[in-house]
Structures are given as structure tokens and as C-alpha cells.
Amino acid sequence: MSYKLYTDKQEIFECKIHLEGASLTKANSRIIVETEDLKLMFEGTIDKDGNCKVPIKKLRGLLGEDDKGTMKLEVIAEDTYFLPWESDFVIDTEKKIKVEVKQQDKPLVESSKPKMVVKEVKHSFNEVDSIVDTLHKKGINVNKLYKSKNKMIPILKEYSNKVGYKKGIKNFITEVVKKLAKK
């Protein structure tokens, strides 16, 4: 069975060490976590009763979930190196979330704001009145319009197209002449 280390939780490796022929008072311990690409070392302590504790920090950013490798306990007592324990390990995440999205029958969020629909836009701009007012301000009456019709008709046609007059160019010119005659 593999030892489990976590990316998001500090782990404390604990074991009991029985050492013969040497003293534990000045003994050192460490865990080596080894993958194909990386070796990490975590220092630990051994008390006089042989209780060994090695804190292993969170491995987020160093190892990824589902990474595997070997971890070893190394003990050095009175200048003697011991390798008393070795195991495979796997990396896991303690805190996980799983989201399952079900088929949506209706919208999840409906706005409680008032709704507004624009049904009709009334255009207060009258194309004929606008050009008639402009011509009148410039001192152009029906007589002057007829005298310079070769110049004025193309101008009126262009204006009619530009403003999007819908009844046709002939109707536009006829309405302009009628309204200009009344001024």
C-alpha cells in the first residue's frame, strides 16, 4: 500500500525508532520524497524515547495530483547512516469539489427587474417640412425653385434618398413644392 501525501494539507510523518548500539539523543531524521523529476527533503526530530516526527509541508506547486514516487526515512546517529523505512507514495488532494450539471429545463436566474419592450418608434422628424424650412430661410420660393430646377431637382433627390423618404422621389418633390407655395 502506498503512503499518501497531499498538495493542500501538511502531513506529519510519525514513527517509533528502536536503535541498538547508538544513542538517540543526537540522532537526526529526514524524509526524502523522490519522483522521476524531483527530490524533496524534510527534516524531522527524534526524542529520547525514539518517537520520530517529520513535518511534510503542502506540496501544491511542487507535485501534482496523481504524481507517484518513493519516499525514504533516513536516520543519522553517531555518524552512522540508516535507511530504516522506504515506501511508494501517491499525491492526492484532500479538499475536492465535484460539479454535476443537470439538464436545464428553465433559466436558472430570472431577472426581477422591470421589463420594457419598444413597440413603435415615432419619428418626429418630417423630411418635407425640414427641407421646406431650409429653402424658405435661404430665400428660395416656388418661382426660384422652378427657375433653377435643373440644379434643385438633383439636390432634392439626393436629400430624399439621404433621409430615407419612403413615398418616392416624385411625391417628395410634389410635397416640397406644395408646402413651399404656402410659405
Side-chain angles (χ1 to χ4, degrees), residues 28-31 41-45 53-56:
N28 295 316
S29 64
R30 60 186 177 203
I31 289 284
M41 182 178 72
F42 300 95
E43 300 269 342
T45 59
K53 291 185 181 183
V54 182
I56 300 173

Coordinates of all heavy atoms in Angstrom, one line a residue, residues 28-31 41-45 53-56:
N28 N 19.5 12.4 14.0 CA 18.8 13.3 13.1 C 17.9 12.4 12.2 O 18.4 11.3 11.8 CB 19.7 14.1 12.3 CG 20.5 15.2 13.1 OD1 19.9 15.8 13.9 ND2 21.7 15.3 12.8
S29 N 16.8 12.9 11.8 CA 15.9 12.2 10.9 C 15.5 13.1 9.7 O 15.4 14.3 9.9 CB 14.7 11.6 11.6 OG 13.9 12.6 12.0
R30 N 15.2 12.5 8.6 CA 14.7 13.2 7.5 C 13.9 12.3 6.6 O 14.2 11.1 6.5 CB 15.7 14.0 6.8 CG 16.8 13.2 6.2 CD 17.9 14.0 5.6 NE 19.0 13.1 5.1 CZ 20.2 13.5 4.9 NH1 20.6 14.8 5.3 NH2 21.1 12.7 4.5
I31 N 12.9 12.9 5.9 CA 12.2 12.1 4.8 C 12.6 12.7 3.5 O 12.7 13.9 3.3 CB 10.7 12.3 5.0 CG1 10.2 11.6 6.2 CG2 9.9 11.9 3.8 CD1 10.0 10.1 6.1
M41 N 13.5 17.1 0.5 CA 13.9 16.6 1.8 C 13.2 17.4 2.9 O 13.1 18.6 2.9 CB 15.4 16.8 1.9 CG 15.9 16.3 3.3 SD 17.7 16.4 3.4 CE 17.9 18.1 3.7
F42 N 12.7 16.7 3.9 CA 12.0 17.3 5.0 C 12.7 16.8 6.3 O 12.8 15.6 6.6 CB 10.5 16.9 5.0 CG 9.8 17.3 3.8 CD1 9.6 16.5 2.7 CD2 9.3 18.6 3.7 CE1 9.0 16.8 1.6 CE2 8.6 19.0 2.5 CZ 8.5 18.1 1.5
E43 N 13.2 17.8 7.1 CA 13.9 17.5 8.3 C 12.9 17.1 9.4 O 11.8 17.7 9.5 CB 14.7 18.7 8.8 CG 15.8 19.2 7.8 CD 17.1 18.5 8.0 OE1 17.4 18.0 9.1 OE2 17.9 18.5 7.0
G44 N 13.3 16.2 10.3 CA 12.4 15.8 11.4 C 13.2 15.8 12.7 O 14.4 16.1 12.8
T45 N 12.5 15.3 13.8 CA 13.1 15.2 15.1 C 12.9 13.8 15.7 O 11.9 13.1 15.3 CB 12.5 16.2 16.1 OG1 11.1 16.0 16.2 CG2 12.8 17.7 15.6
K53 N 9.2 12.4 14.4 CA 8.2 13.2 13.7 C 8.9 14.0 12.6 O 9.8 14.7 12.9 CB 7.5 14.1 14.7 CG 6.6 13.4 15.7 CD 5.9 14.4 16.6 CE 5.0 13.7 17.6 NZ 4.2 14.6 18.4
V54 N 8.3 13.9 11.4 CA 8.8 14.7 10.3 C 7.7 15.4 9.6 O 6.8 14.8 9.0 CB 9.5 13.8 9.2 CG1 10.1 14.6 8.1 CG2 10.6 12.9 9.9
P55 N 7.6 16.8 9.8 CA 6.5 17.5 9.1 C 6.8 17.6 7.6 O 7.9 18.0 7.2 CB 6.6 18.9 9.8 CG 7.9 19.0 10.5 CD 8.4 17.6 10.6
I56 N 5.8 17.3 6.8 CA 5.9 17.4 5.4 C 4.9 18.5 5.0 O 3.7 18.3 5.1 CB 5.5 16.0 4.7 CG1 6.5 14.9 5.2 CG2 5.6 16.1 3.2 CD1 6.1 13.5 4.8

